[in-house]
């Protein structure tokens, strides 16, 4: 997972650098155009009465501020859409890598660690352990002697387990689906991904 964290950090920096540079260039160009237009307008009306000039310039400045604000809003929206697309692509690649890893024999060791982690916190006697259909046999081999019922869950698509202890109203989600979703939320909530 540390490799994924490094990839995630690298992607964050790439996205942030690319998007900030692009947005800054567009906003700078809009501000430059606004300043040029303002300078031209000031020169043209300089001969008019001073009070009238001030009112006209202020009105023009407000219009230019509005235009710059509109450009900034449009570019921020475009940047967010672009970031969202890159984030979706990144997490699709991570999901594909997870699927590849769950097809390897070492994945059974991961399932054993999940069952052990759950057992360290609570007795699994009478518990319900949910897993994906492809993992039923492996989880049964690991947890059948613990007194737990092993069940298939359609909500687990990547792997791992969910342990429910009905008499204590406890649910432990040790699925890879939940872990990936948590990483996605953490990634999207990070300050580097905000405008």
């Amino acid at each position: 997972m540390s490799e994924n964290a490094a990839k995630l950090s690298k992607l964050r920096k790439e996205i942030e650098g690319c998007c900030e540079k692009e947005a800054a260039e567009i906003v700078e160009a809009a501000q430059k155009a606004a300043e040029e237009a303002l300078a031209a307008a000031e020169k043209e009306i300089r001969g008019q009465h001073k009070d009238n000039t001030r009112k006209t310039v202020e009105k023009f400045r407000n219009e230019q501020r509005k235009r710059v604000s509109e450009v900034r809003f449009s570019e921020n929206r475009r940047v967010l859409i672009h970031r969202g697309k890159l984030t979706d692509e990144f997490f699709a690649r991570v999901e594909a890598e997870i699927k590849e890893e769950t097809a390897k024999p070492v994945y059974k060791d991961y399932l054993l660690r999940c069952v052990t982690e759950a057992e360290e916190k609570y007795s699994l006697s009478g518990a319900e352990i949910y897993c994906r259909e492809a993992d039923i046999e492996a989880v049964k081999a690991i947890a059948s002697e613990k007194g737990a019922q092993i069940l298939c869950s359609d909500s687990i698509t990547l792997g791992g387990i969910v342990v429910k202890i009905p008499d204590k109203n406890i649910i432990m989600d040790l699925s890879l689906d939940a872990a990936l979703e948590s990483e996605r939320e953490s990634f999207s909530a990070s300050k580097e991904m905000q405008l």
Side-chain angles (χ1 to χ4, degrees):
M1 282 299 190
S2 65
E3 182 180 330
N4 285 337
K7 289 179 183 177
L8 182 62
S9 177
K10 183 178 177 184
L11 179 64
R12 282 183 187 157
K13 289 178 184 173
E14 268 185 75
I15 292 170
E16 181 181 7
C18 176
C19 295
E20 285 180 0
K21 181 181 175 187
E22 197 173 334
E25 288 172 357
I26 291 169
V27 169
E28 183 179 314
Q31 286 176 333
K32 184 177 178 182
E35 288 171 5
E36 289 172 357
L38 177 62
E42 283 180 343
K43 186 176 181 180
E44 180 180 317
I45 61 175
R46 196 170 278 147
Q48 296 177 4
H49 190 268
K50 189 176 181 179
D51 189 48
N52 195 17
T53 301
R54 184 186 55 77
K55 288 178 183 177
T56 304
V57 168
E58 189 59 37
K59 179 181 175 189
F60 190 77
R61 278 190 176 145
N62 288 336
E63 289 172 0
Q64 293 307 315
R65 282 187 203 115
K66 182 179 176 184
R67 287 189 188 115
V68 168
S69 178
E70 288 170 354
V71 168
R72 183 176 285 139
F73 175 79
S74 173
E75 285 309 303
N76 285 347
R77 184 176 180 277
R78 191 183 65 75
V79 166
L80 285 174
I81 289 169
H82 183 67
R83 284 180 182 178
K85 180 182 172 194
L86 291 175
T87 299
D88 290 343
E89 289 172 2
F90 173 76
F91 278 97
R93 287 194 309 267
V94 170
E95 189 173 320
E97 288 179 24
I98 289 171
K99 287 179 181 178
E100 287 177 17
E101 290 298 313
T102 59
K104 296 179 181 177
V106 295
Y107 172 63
K108 289 181 183 175
D109 294 337
Y110 173 76
L111 291 173
L112 176 61
R113 284 195 309 272
C114 288
V115 171
T116 303
E117 181 182 335
E119 190 175 33
E120 286 173 357
K121 294 181 180 178
Y122 305 101
S123 168
L124 296 181
S125 179
E128 298 171 352
I129 299 178
Y130 293 87
C131 62
R132 62 187 185 154
E133 189 173 344
D135 298 338
I136 286 276
E137 294 306 316
V139 174
K140 279 184 181 177
I142 295 167
S144 62
E145 74 237 14
K146 312 222 183 268
Q149 183 181 8
I150 313 303
L151 302 165
C152 180
S153 172
D154 293 335
S155 65
I156 301 173
T157 59
L158 295 177
I161 62 172
V162 173
V163 178
K164 291 184 181 180
I165 305 174
D167 59 338
K168 295 182 181 177
N169 290 327
I170 293 173
I171 297 177
M172 292 179 62
D173 194 341
L174 302 172
S175 68
L176 293 170
D177 304 73
L180 184 62
E181 187 57 32
S182 174
E183 284 298 317
R184 178 186 281 274
E185 288 172 6
S186 175
F187 180 78
S188 296
S190 69
K191 67 178 178 143
E192 292 86 2
M193 292 302 290
Q194 307 300 315
L195 286 178

